[in-house]
């Protein structure tokens, strides 16, 4: 009989933690998990899922407007009720919380509802209860970070946005990452006059430059005001009468400030001090290729380790680690190349592989195939939204290096292309694939001429 209560104890029942706990128990390990806030973690409660539901909500107005060109019209006023959206979303999230709980319980994982804190490398204090484990995995995720400026406590983060009592008439979104851009799109789509303030020259750093420029134009068309090369200096007053002073000297009167200014590892009060776990300067836990920290029985995965902060990445890490620790068949390591990703701004961005800038840095012979057009739907809807698709090809080998798209359902389209790219697809493979007509996606197999 083991001297420990558990073979494995997982801290955090989010994307990575639930996968690790569930699969390890399935392989026969005695597993416990602690969760102090919400079953399913960030993605389910204050991330991907509620965000995508809000993105759907924010499109409805536009869909109704688009309908006019197809002969549809409304007889009465069009009304939006925030409380209905928020409460229906909450009901769905509660349902998902229950599913996560059942998944764990049915797999034989013991759930401890409470905050875990290290006592030593094998012992945790969970709200006063001491438990021991041979191995402990930290899957505590990340937490919104708000920069320091006078009045920053008056800004909300994405965590609070999902539960607002009411929607303001105007909002300022601070930040230039994907969450900022998505949230600005949601708010604008729901009828909030929205302004995005970002200290850099252009948002979405790290994405293909042409895609970023194109999205800037599209986002502005949707009515989001973009203030680049600027920053918030202070916030005064009380919501919904906030006064935001910018570095440029401009002052914005607004009902709400949303700071989407990055996320930091969630390691507050975890008791890591004295354990000897190596971290980066920003607190990210450093792990080796087996997700082992510098303390060999303590593992870490998901957002808390930095890297690409995406749910499918945390899931893949959880799957790998469980199989590595408890399955006889050794798993294939997670491949961090060609991870597809989407930004659910309006229209969506989706991307896989290298940007044009990265491709040109790595290869001498890069061919760029691109197509920009007005989607068929909008010939009748009257919308001025446009779509951009881009393929990067290594000219000598004909291999596809990257695919990028801005347009409706870009995420749905690029997911399939990601499989092709991982399988080593060439431009000839794309060219000899018959398109599905009439779709936007068929453009990816009909782009014949590279740019000069
Ligand atoms: P989490 O899911 O954050 O889980 C960590 C859990 O640990 C939490 O439940 C937390 O309460 C718990 N915890 C922390 N400390 C303790 C402790 N001491 N004791 C007990 N429990 C503790 N990703 C995508 O792939 N697609 C998207 O569209 C997307 N959209 C997003 C939108 C927003 C607004 C945000 C914020 C994130 C989004 N993400 C998206 C990112 C995604 O949510 C994260 O990458 C993912 O949830 C990381 O999983 P994780 O297991 O590392 O951590």
């Amino acid at each position: 009989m083991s001297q420990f209560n558990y073979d494995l104890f997982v801290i955090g029942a989010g994307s990575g933690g639930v996968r690790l706990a569930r699969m390890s128990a399935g392989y026969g390990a005695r597993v416990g998990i602690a969760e102090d806030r919400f079953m399913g973690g960030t993605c389910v409660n204050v991330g991907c899922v509620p965000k995508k539901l809000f993105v759907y909500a924010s499109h409805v107005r536009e869909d109704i407007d688009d309908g006019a060109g197809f002969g549809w019209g409304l007889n009465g006023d069009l009304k939006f009720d925030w409380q209905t959206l928020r409460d229906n979303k909450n009901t769905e999230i509660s349902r998902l919380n229950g599913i996560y709980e059942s998944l764990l319980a049915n797999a034989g994982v013991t759930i401890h509802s409470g905050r875990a804190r290290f006592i030593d490398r094998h012992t945790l204090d969970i709200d006063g209860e001491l438990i021991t484990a041979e191995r402990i995995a930290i899957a505590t995720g990340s937490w919104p970070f708000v920069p320091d400026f006078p009045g920053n406590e008056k800004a909300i983060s994405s965590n609070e946005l999902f539960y607002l009592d009411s929607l303001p008439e105007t909002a300022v979104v601070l930040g230039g990452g994907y969450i900022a851009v998505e949230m600005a799109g949601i708010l604008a789509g729901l009828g909030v006059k929205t302004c995005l303030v970002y200290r850099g020259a252009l948002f979405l750093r790290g994405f293909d430059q042409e895609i970023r420029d194109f999205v800037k134009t599209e986002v502005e068309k949707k009515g989001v005001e973009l203030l680049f090369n600027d920053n918030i200096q202070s916030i005064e007053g009380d919501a919904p009468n906030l006064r935001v002073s910018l570095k440029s000297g401009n002052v914005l009167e607004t009902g709400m400030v949303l700071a989407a200014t990055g996320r930091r590892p969630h390691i507050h009060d975890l008791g890591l001090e004295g354990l000897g776990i190596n971290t980066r300067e920003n607190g990210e836990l450093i792990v080796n290729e087996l997700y082992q920290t510098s303390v060999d029985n303590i593992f870490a995965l998901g957002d808390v380790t930095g890297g690409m902060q995406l749910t499918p990445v945390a899931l893949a890490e959880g799957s790998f680690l469980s199989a590595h620790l408890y399955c006889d068949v050794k798993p294939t390591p997670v491949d961090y190349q060609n991870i597809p990703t989407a930004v659910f701004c309006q229209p969506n961005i989706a991307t896989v592989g290298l940007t044009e800038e990265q491709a040109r840095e790595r290869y001498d012979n890069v061919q760029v195939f691109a197509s920009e057009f007005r989607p068929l739907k909008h010939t009748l809807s009257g919308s001025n939204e446009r779509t951009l698709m881009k393929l990067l090809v290594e000219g000598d080998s004909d291999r596809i290096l990257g695919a990028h798209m801005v347009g409706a359902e870009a995420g749905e389209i690029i997911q399939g292309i990601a499989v092709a790219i991982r399988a080593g697809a060439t431009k000839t493979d794309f060219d000899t694939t018959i398109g599905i007509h009439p779709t936007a996606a068929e453009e990816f197999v009909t782009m014949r001429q590279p740019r000069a």
Side-chain angles (χ1 to χ4, degrees):
M1 187 67 189
S2 163
Q3 56 176 315
F4 301 109
N5 300 134
Y6 294 105
D7 298 324
L8 172 70
F9 197 90
V10 182
I11 310 176
S15 307
V18 169
R19 175 64 63 88
L20 171 64
R22 202 160 64 80
M23 287 190 60
S24 300
Y27 292 130
R30 294 174 310 131
V31 183
I33 193 165
E35 173 54 52
D36 73 333
R37 186 175 296 262
F38 31 43
M39 217 15 108
T42 303
C43 179
V44 168
N45 294 276
V46 288
C48 337
V49 175
K51 172 195 80 186
K52 190 79 187 282
L53 293 173
F54 283 8
V55 169
Y56 288 129
S58 71
H59 265 290
V60 174
R61 166 95 231 185
E62 203 171 84
D63 292 341
I64 291 170
D65 289 346
D66 285 352
F70 295 91
W72 290 91
L74 271 177
N75 283 328
D77 281 351
L78 181 61
K79 290 201 190 75
F80 168 64
D81 182 47
W82 162 256
Q83 282 81 9
T84 302
L85 170 64
R86 184 203 56 200
D87 296 349
N88 287 348
K89 180 271 292 177
N90 288 348
T91 306
E92 172 56 13
I93 301 305
S94 302
R95 189 183 73 84
L96 294 175
N97 296 147
I99 287 177
Y100 273 82
E101 203 162 326
S102 310
L103 281 174
L104 287 167
N106 293 342
V109 177
T110 306
I111 301 170
H112 294 253
S113 299
R115 187 161 186 80
R117 196 172 188 287
F118 279 94
I119 301 297
D120 62 43
R121 58 187 287 170
H122 288 288
T123 313
L124 292 166
D125 176 335
I126 302 168
D127 289 349
E129 183 191 5
L130 292 190
I131 68 104
T132 59
E134 183 186 358
R135 295 181 174 118
I136 296 176
I138 303 171
T140 51
S142 59
W143 199 248
F145 165 79
V146 182
D148 202 16
F149 55 77
N152 70 350
E153 74 285 353
K154 297 172 196 277
I156 63 161
S157 74
S158 54
N159 283 355
E160 291 80 52
L161 182 85
F162 292 110
Y163 297 95
L164 289 179
D165 288 335
S166 59
L167 265 192
E169 285 177 16
T170 57
V172 171
V173 176
L174 178 63
Y178 81 92
I179 294 177
V181 183
E182 290 177 335
M183 294 303 175
I186 289 171
L187 289 166
L190 295 178
V192 177
K193 194 170 175 312
T194 304
C195 169
L196 183 145
V197 176
Y198 176 51
R199 63 183 177 179
L202 184 60
F203 53 23
L204 297 171
R205 197 156 53 88
F207 286 81
D208 184 277
Q209 180 69 30
E210 185 179 1
I211 295 286
R212 296 167 73 196
D213 288 327
F214 187 85
V215 170
K216 172 181 181 288
T217 308
E218 291 301 309
V219 165
E220 278 177 325
K221 280 190 207 166
K222 306 278 179 194
V224 178
E225 188 186 355
L226 300 175
L227 297 181
F228 294 147
N229 291 314
D230 211 340
N231 211 341
I232 294 184
Q233 211 158 32
S234 66
I235 307 176
E236 291 164 300
D238 292 305
N241 298 306
L242 297 171
R243 218 178 116 82
V244 180
S245 302
L246 302 181
K247 286 248 157 69
S248 57
N250 286 338
V251 174
L252 306 171
E253 309 279 347
T254 188
M256 179 180 88
V257 177
L258 169 69
T261 35
R263 296 176 65 84
R264 293 280 159 89
H266 196 177
I267 51 170
H268 170 71
D269 198 31
L270 199 53
L272 293 182
E273 314 73 25
L275 282 181
I277 292 183
N278 293 338
T279 63
R280 296 193 187 86
E281 234 169 72
N282 64 1
E284 289 165 2
L285 305 188
I286 298 174
V287 291
N288 64 17
E289 67 288 358
L290 301 174
Y291 306 100
Q292 198 170 28
T293 67
S294 45
V295 178
D296 64 6
N297 74 306
I298 300 179
F299 297 78
L301 73 162
D303 280 13
V304 75
T305 60
M308 282 187 96
Q309 299 194 334
L310 293 170
T311 277
V313 172
L315 293 175
E317 293 175 352
S319 297
F320 172 86
L321 184 55
S322 59
H324 164 69
L325 294 176
Y326 300 111
C327 179
D328 295 337
V329 182
K330 286 304 158 206
T332 312
V334 180
D335 183 353
Y336 293 92
Q337 302 298 312
N338 293 322
I339 293 178
T341 182
V343 181
F344 296 100
C345 54
Q346 303 178 19
N348 297 177
I349 306 171
T351 174
V352 57
L354 302 185
T355 63
E356 183 175 343
E357 295 69 44
Q358 291 167 333
R360 291 199 184 285
E361 227 176 83
R362 291 185 207 178
Y363 299 96
D364 293 331
N365 183 4
V366 175
Q367 295 179 331
V368 180
F369 295 81
S371 176
E372 191 205 312
F373 56 94
R374 186 184 199 187
L376 176 62
K377 178 182 172 189
H378 295 319
T379 56
L380 287 203
S381 76
S383 162
N384 62 359
E385 182 180 302
R386 294 184 69 78
T387 292
L388 171 65
M389 290 171 165
K390 198 167 166 184
L391 273 182
L392 303 164
V393 179
E394 206 280 298
D396 298 335
S397 64
D398 200 35
R399 209 161 44 87
I400 306 284
L401 299 173
H404 308 271
M405 175 173 173
V406 184
E409 307 295 0
E412 307 290 345
I413 293 169
I414 290 289
Q415 179 69 81
I417 289 183
V419 177
I421 291 183
R422 278 193 56 78
T426 60
K427 182 66 169 63
T428 307
D429 292 323
F430 273 58
D431 292 344
T432 51
T433 298
I434 305 286
I436 300 177
H437 186 71
T439 61
E442 70 180 315
E443 285 293 316
F444 271 123
V445 296
T446 53
M447 292 193 263
R448 292 287 179 261
Q449 284 303 318
R451 271 191 190 144

